[in-house]
Amino acid sequence: SDGRATPAVRPPTAAAVTPEAIPSDGVLLRVDGPRNGDWFGMAIAAVDDVNEDGVGDLAVGAPQNENLGERPAPHAPPGYVQLLSAADGAVLHTLLPTGSKAIDGADDHFGHVIRMLDDLDADGTRDIAVGAYLYDGDDGRPETFDENTGGVFLFSGRTGALLRMRSGVLWGDRFGYALDTLPDRDGDGLADLLIAAEKVEGEGTGITNTGAVQIHSSATLEPLLRVDGPGWEGHFGSSLATMEDVDGDGVADFVGGAFMYQAFARKRRERGAAAIVSGARGEVLRAWEGRADKDHLGFAVESLGDVDGDGVGDVALSAIQSGWVSDYSGAGYVVIKSGATGRELSLIH
């Protein structure tokens, strides 16, 4: 198999739109998800003018939809993405996952993340990447282990046709948990893809859930570079953002969060971590750890541009100071770090 899949496009249907103007609160348009539990709006991305009405349109992810299939449990549907007219809310295309072996039910979480791509199919409209981090995938590679490997799907922005897809390798990889684009790295003239597999096992380490961030060609979805997380169940790549060229080698870099770093270490448990990584070589350029236990630094990361005027882009890192089961250590904080030196520029809490 070449990794391509049969298009899975549902005919456009009417959306639940309330088009009445409400000048008092500034609402221009409201579009509701069609059913309870859809999580409609979990991800949003501005897309090109798909219907050629002179207004750019919108992609909206709903990762909890049952996808017109049998729902194995109330919390376990696979998801969808709708391309909507930004002018009137009409559904232009509905994007769906396809090919899942559905070992444990249709819980793909397709639409958890959406990113715009360059125009891969040369039809004049930029295309769309969608992550489905619990996809039970089969992209034709014999090494794929299927259950919850995760998957990334590339769709035509103009027609909604599925152009190609790739799944993770092993059970539980969660490939496609986070996505971003990176300026062309393989020389084909197209921006490439940063793809996080936030529960992957570190290569050669034997440590589970280290997480990894991989650079893939957007033209072929073949891997170009892999960077493993720092270990100790860190979930590296749970947050992800492209940066400008930090190290001056002419290649854009990226920042990734590992919010569970040291989850099972004897000391400094779940402080979390974040790192700026070379997009050319995969080397860690700057790295930070949370200040205290349970900080969960790196839960969200963002590239800010040059905050301190030194000519190098800087980053914002969040520390939510909260676990999954009512385990709180504080209200949370955001810290801004220098991309050039790693020093702290400001702290917001």
Side-chain angles (χ1 to χ4, degrees), residues 241-313:
T242 299
M243 297 193 66
E244 297 173 357
D245 179 14
V246 173
D247 55 359
D249 62 2
V251 178
D253 303 310
F254 67 89
V255 56
F259 78 105
M260 289 292 289
Y261 178 59
Q262 293 186 327
F264 296 104
R266 291 184 178 180
K267 298 180 180 180
R268 298 181 295 180
R269 295 185 62 218
E270 297 177 29
R271 291 193 170 201
I276 298 175
V277 178
S278 163
R281 303 175 307 280
E283 298 172 359
V284 174
L285 303 176
R286 310 278 181 268
W288 305 274
E289 185 178 310
R291 298 163 175 260
D293 292 356
K294 306 294 185 181
D295 267 10
H296 296 285
L297 183 75
F299 189 85
V301 300
E302 186 58 80
S303 174
L304 297 178
D306 183 12
V307 173
D308 55 359
D310 62 3
V312 178

Side-chain angles (χ1 to χ4, degrees), residues 112 133 174 177-178 196-199 209-213 229-240 255-264 268-275 288-301 317-325 327 329 333:
H112 171 79
Y133 69 95
R174 295 194 175 192
Y177 188 87
E198 58 102 20
K199 291 191 74 173
N209 298 341
T210 61
V213 175
W232 290 111
E233 304 279 338
H235 296 236
F236 181 62
S238 53
S239 58
L240 191 61
V255 56
F259 78 105
M260 289 292 289
Y261 178 59
Q262 293 186 327
F264 296 104
R268 298 181 295 180
R269 295 185 62 218
E270 297 177 29
R271 291 193 170 201
W288 305 274
E289 185 178 310
R291 298 163 175 260
D293 292 356
K294 306 294 185 181
D295 267 10
H296 296 285
L297 183 75
F299 189 85
V301 300
L317 314 173
S318 79
I320 59 172
Q321 295 186 316
S322 176
W324 297 123
V325 286
D327 186 8
S329 62
Y333 61 86

Side-chain angles (χ1 to χ4, degrees), residues 45 71 81 94 125 143 148 163 165 173 193 205 264 266 271 289 349:
R71 187 187 292 242
V81 171
T94 299
T125 302
E143 71 270 26
N148 291 349
L163 303 176
M165 65 81 57
D173 276 358
L193 264 175
T205 67
F264 296 104
R266 291 184 178 180
R271 291 193 170 201
E289 185 178 310
H349 57 81

